[in-house]
Amino acid sequence: MSLWRHAAMASAICALAGGGEAAPLPKGEGLKVVRQECTRCHPLRNIVNSDGFTAPQWRDFIVRMTDLENRPENLDVVVAYLAKHFPPYAPDD
């Protein structure tokens, strides 16, 4: 296997594994639950790098990705945190 392929595979593995670095999220109510629930499947940088959503959009997105509808108390906490700290992206005028 070529050196390029090894490098590409290593890069892909690091990306899938989260790169070993936790994304900084704003402190606030619900952060612990967000870390617990959202890192089951992806690194926190997916949230940090998102364009953001409204609360109803976050709820729909989360329900499509997870089984949090079976834990509504956690779903409400995660949605509230994400909607507050990661609203829809609005470019500066």
Side-chain angles (χ1 to χ4, degrees):
M1 189 178 289
S2 74
L3 182 59
W4 181 86
R5 282 191 183 190
H6 281 288
M9 284 178 59
S11 177
I13 290 168
C14 286
L16 290 173
E21 217 173 289
L25 293 180
K27 291 183 191 286
E29 179 88 26
L31 176 57
K32 182 178 177 181
V33 177
V34 167
R35 284 187 174 158
Q36 171 190 325
E37 295 292 351
C38 298
T39 59
R40 291 176 193 257
C41 300
H42 62 76
L44 294 175
R45 73 170 171 259
N46 289 21
I47 297 168
V48 174
N49 292 336
S50 76
D51 286 338
F53 297 109
T54 63
Q57 290 170 327
W58 273 119
R59 182 174 298 278
D60 290 345
F61 190 66
I62 292 165
V63 167
R64 280 196 317 262
M65 283 192 301
T66 71
D67 66 347
L68 272 175
E69 67 274 10
N70 297 321
R71 294 183 309 285
E73 65 285 350
N74 283 4
L75 176 61
D76 292 342
V77 169
V78 170
V79 168
Y81 176 88
L82 295 176
K84 178 178 180 180
H85 297 287
F86 298 96
Y89 172 74
D92 295 332
D93 291 65

